[in-house]
Amino acid sequence: MRLRNITGSREVIAQSPFVVGEDILFQCPGTWKEIFGNDRPVRIEIGMGKGRFIHTLAKEHPEYNYIGIEKYSSVLLRAIQKMEAEELPNLKFIRMDAEDIVKVFAPGEVDRIYLNFSDPWPKDRHAKRRLPSREFLARYDVILKKDGILEFKTDNRALFDFAVEELEPAGWRAQVITYDLHGDEKLMADNVMTEYEEKFSSLGNPIYKYVICR
Ligand code: SAM
């Protein structure tokens, strides 16, 4: 998702109390407990878009701390606006390319990772940029605690098939795989819809999901 460039979005982000600034980002590994002021587990969404999913989770689960990570300022701005409308003490945002994720969290510092409707990067030569690729799984392997899990949802079958194929070579395994999330009553019990999920499921697209661990 890349919204039209919004004038001043970088300035708003730089001044927002909800965003951990780029200037201090690489000093953050191992300090997230201090940043939140408590030692609750930290859960992150990579590529959060406009932030509906993580804002809802943070509201429903004050027992966790949440961090939404988004590459584009114009998109992050929408998540900031949601926080301005309803402030939550257990949610922070980072504007960054997730390629650098291991520079922001200490080994094992993250309790859970969410990927939702990640960009498909359909060309083979761009496979490394896909967030569920083996290159990214190797990064998640560093920051995610030993018994932590990663949840991934998408409506893109080619991306989902690719993501499933990446698991074994990357040393991960699936705890759950479904090719029809919305038809699974048990999995839907605690499902939180994302903006893309609402859009594509309303068009009749099936939603695919896995939950993986090492
Ligand atoms: N997760 C949201 C949802 O389900 O509604 C947004 C999905 S949108 C298709 C994917 C988002 O991931 C975009 O906002 C994009 O900018 C962001 N993104 C893609 N690659 C990224 C990366 N390497 N680091 C951080 N954000 C990324």
Side-chain angles (χ1 to χ4, degrees), residues 9-214:
S9 58
R10 282 205 169 241
E11 289 72 16
V12 172
I13 288 166
Q15 283 161 26
S16 172
F18 310 125
V19 180
V20 178
E22 289 168 50
D23 48 334
I24 62 156
L25 213 45
F26 295 153
Q27 296 159 32
C28 287
T31 72
W32 286 99
K33 286 184 172 63
E34 283 99 82
I35 292 169
F36 280 103
N38 61 58
D39 61 0
R40 293 178 199 134
V42 171
R43 299 185 164 188
I44 67 174
E45 182 187 10
I46 302 177
M48 73 164 165
K50 297 178 193 169
R52 169 172 156 184
F53 172 85
I54 199 142
H55 194 273
T56 307
L57 271 188
K59 192 173 160 182
E60 288 179 356
H61 295 282
E63 71 277 22
Y64 295 107
N65 292 319
Y66 291 91
I67 301 170
I69 297 168
E70 172 52 49
K71 187 157 65 169
Y72 292 114
S73 306
S74 54
V75 187
L76 173 55
L77 200 57
R78 303 297 183 91
I80 292 173
Q81 286 163 350
K82 283 192 182 67
M83 272 285 262
E84 285 168 352
E86 188 173 13
E87 221 175 288
L88 300 170
N90 61 331
L91 176 58
K92 302 242 177 259
F93 302 126
I94 298 174
R95 197 208 64 79
M96 69 176 288
D97 189 320
E99 266 185 25
D100 283 331
I101 199 91
V102 295
K103 297 184 191 161
V104 172
F105 298 98
E109 197 173 17
V110 173
D111 177 67
R112 186 169 296 184
I113 299 173
Y114 298 100
L115 306 177
N116 292 313
F117 296 79
S118 307
D119 292 337
W121 292 106
K123 291 184 180 146
D124 283 349
R125 68 188 154 89
H126 291 148
K128 284 182 185 172
R129 297 186 193 173
R130 298 173 192 153
L131 292 180
S133 67
R134 66 189 70 185
E135 287 80 7
F136 271 98
L137 288 173
R139 297 177 179 116
Y140 308 147
D141 185 42
V142 176
I143 62 168
L144 185 66
K145 72 177 188 183
K146 214 170 137 222
D147 58 350
I149 59 169
L150 180 153
E151 300 190 11
F152 170 53
K153 291 193 279 190
T154 182
D155 71 320
N156 185 310
R157 182 61 189 257
L159 179 65
F160 192 67
D161 288 344
F162 166 83
V164 170
E165 281 163 22
E166 290 292 87
L167 295 179
E168 203 190 314
W172 292 67
R173 65 183 171 82
Q175 287 180 346
V176 173
I177 297 190
T178 178
Y179 291 81
D180 182 16
L181 172 63
H182 288 202
D184 187 319
E185 215 176 298
K186 213 169 132 205
L187 290 178
M188 281 304 278
D190 62 353
N191 187 55
V192 172
M193 291 272 260
T194 81
E195 274 101 351
Y196 269 63
E197 184 172 358
E198 183 166 272
K199 182 173 161 191
F200 291 116
S201 62
S202 73
L203 295 175
N205 295 6
I207 305 300
Y208 314 115
K209 176 175 179 174
Y210 72 35
V211 179
I212 60 168
C213 59
R214 287 90 105 210

